[in-house]
Amino acid sequence: MRVPTVDRLAPVTPPAVHADGAIGLRPDPDGWKSVVAAVRTALPEHRYAQDELTELIGDLCLAPGADRTVLRRLHGSAGVRTRHLALPIDRYAALGDFGETNAAWMTAGLELGERALTCALEAAGLSPSELDLLVCTSITGIAAPSLDARLASRMGMRPDVKRIPVFGLGCVAGAAGLARLHDYLRGHRGEVAALLSVELCSLTLQQRDDSPANLVAGALFGDGAAAVVAHAARADDHRAGHPAVVATRSLLYPDTEHLLGWTIGAGGFRPVVDAAIPDVVGARIGPGLRAFLAVHGLTPDDIGTWICHPGGPRILTAVAHALDLPDGALDSAHRALAVSGNMSSASVLRILEDVTTNAPPPPGSWGLMMAMGPGFCVEFVLLRW
């Protein structure tokens, strides 16, 4: 199914300053939206129970004979039951320098990325040659040519396909990537765009590093890839089960750069995860989200489906309290965390797939996707079914 060609020069509404001082786009007066045609996830075959991983990760991260009390407490309270890893767990100890781990990321990432994107395109009734834009994000490895360039010829995309490889957004990139597809499709209304997230977090685990950040990462993160295919549609074009992106908002919090990210060195990506992150989320996310929703005449009470990045139990609790959400509002995030851990940018896309395929919200109902990432930043995506 090819998306009908329409006027690609139609005017886009100019920026507006909102109540919280942030700048964003007003609702499109021409009634255009971007529609999620399909979203699919691909997970590695190596699946482990959390209690099985605890001692094995301890062998990798802790010195022989070191006390494992903190490690076991972190694993027990992470809200994770199972995770998928890019490699069999017994292969990680043999990984040497960053070159070896990055090579493993490339091999596994190409396979998972191809699988996720192929399945998403097939579900949308499209072929790779019909793709006009591919945004590819990962914060767990680097490559030049990038993953998207290698996949383009491997999958049979057109030579003129537009590509945007993204590094640095981290966990926020699933929501931010969908938001940027929406921005693009507003100005290219006859085209098809896809977002591919490939996150192999296990390959960033630092051996013989007992820092709190590394132990937290070892307790929470899992591996996977996810892909979204989207196109533009008029407001009166309703497709059951397919959510539409109505509006987006990006917020970057000043003086919070130290909270989350990587320290990059000879050993690769050493995690930076500050214990203050839940407090920052709890204090700042509420005003920004309420102001964003108010532009569209909505409040958090109007949102029927919440798709929140499962950063960890404390972050989910902070979000629920900050927005005064009812019990169960973030159950989809808790389920995703339990069955596959925090897969960085792929997590919210996995939740979106679960929601749209297993329990589609009622037509006309509102949804809100949100994720946080290095910066420290947050992305909101307003959805409607």
Side-chain angles (χ1 to χ4, degrees), residues 1 37-40 114-131 155 192 194 227-229 242:
M1 178 195 72
V39 53
R40 291 293 184 269
E114 181 176 14
R115 182 148 51 95
L117 186 54
T118 297
C119 290
L121 286 167
E122 289 177 351
L126 297 165
S127 69
S129 64
E130 294 178 279
L131 195 58
M155 293 180 61
V192 177
V228 175
V229 177
H242 293 274

Side-chain angles (χ1 to χ4, degrees), residues 25-195:
L25 290 172
R26 296 188 183 96
D28 192 330
D30 296 331
W32 284 87
K33 60 189 179 182
S34 55
V35 176
V36 174
V39 53
R40 291 293 184 269
T41 304
L43 300 173
E45 62 178 319
H46 314 294
R47 182 172 178 264
Y48 297 91
Q50 178 80 333
D51 56 2
E52 183 181 5
L53 286 176
T54 302
E55 301 307 320
L56 295 170
I57 289 178
D59 293 342
L60 287 171
C61 297
L62 302 180
D67 181 40
R68 300 195 174 192
T69 302
V70 172
L71 173 82
R72 291 165 181 156
R73 184 173 70 246
L74 288 172
H75 278 245
S77 62
V80 179
R81 292 198 306 268
T82 59
R83 279 181 282 170
H84 296 255
L85 303 185
L87 306 176
I89 188 63
D90 58 7
R91 284 189 53 192
Y92 285 82
L95 293 173
D97 59 15
F98 174 58
E100 291 185 16
T101 59
N102 199 65
W105 169 84
M106 175 73 75
T107 300
L110 282 171
E111 189 275 325
L112 285 172
E114 181 176 14
R115 182 148 51 95
L117 186 54
T118 297
C119 290
L121 286 167
E122 289 177 351
L126 297 165
S127 69
S129 64
E130 294 178 279
L131 195 58
D132 298 293
L133 170 72
L134 175 59
V135 178
C136 184
T137 184
S138 180
I139 200 172
T140 55
I142 53 175
S146 51
L147 288 179
D148 49 285
R150 296 166 192 257
L151 287 173
S153 59
R154 180 164 160 161
M155 293 180 61
M157 298 178 200
R158 299 194 316 271
D160 66 345
V161 65
K162 287 163 276 192
R163 302 177 295 105
I164 304 178
V166 177
F167 177 87
L169 286 178
C171 297
V172 79
L178 180 58
R180 300 295 79 79
L181 291 193
H182 175 67
D183 295 341
Y184 176 83
L185 290 168
R186 286 167 62 96
H188 300 80
R189 291 173 174 171
E191 298 192 4
V192 177
L195 166 68

Side-chain angles (χ1 to χ4, degrees), residues 285-309:
I285 201 169
L289 179 56
R290 288 186 174 90
F292 170 56
L293 292 177
V295 173
H296 305 280
L298 302 171
T299 72
D301 292 338
D302 296 307
I303 304 301
T305 301
W306 294 90
I307 299 173
C308 181
H309 172 64

Side-chain angles (χ1 to χ4, degrees), residues 16-22 249 287 290-292 294-295:
V17 179
H18 302 304
D20 64 348
R249 170 73 64 82
R290 288 186 174 90
F292 170 56
V295 173

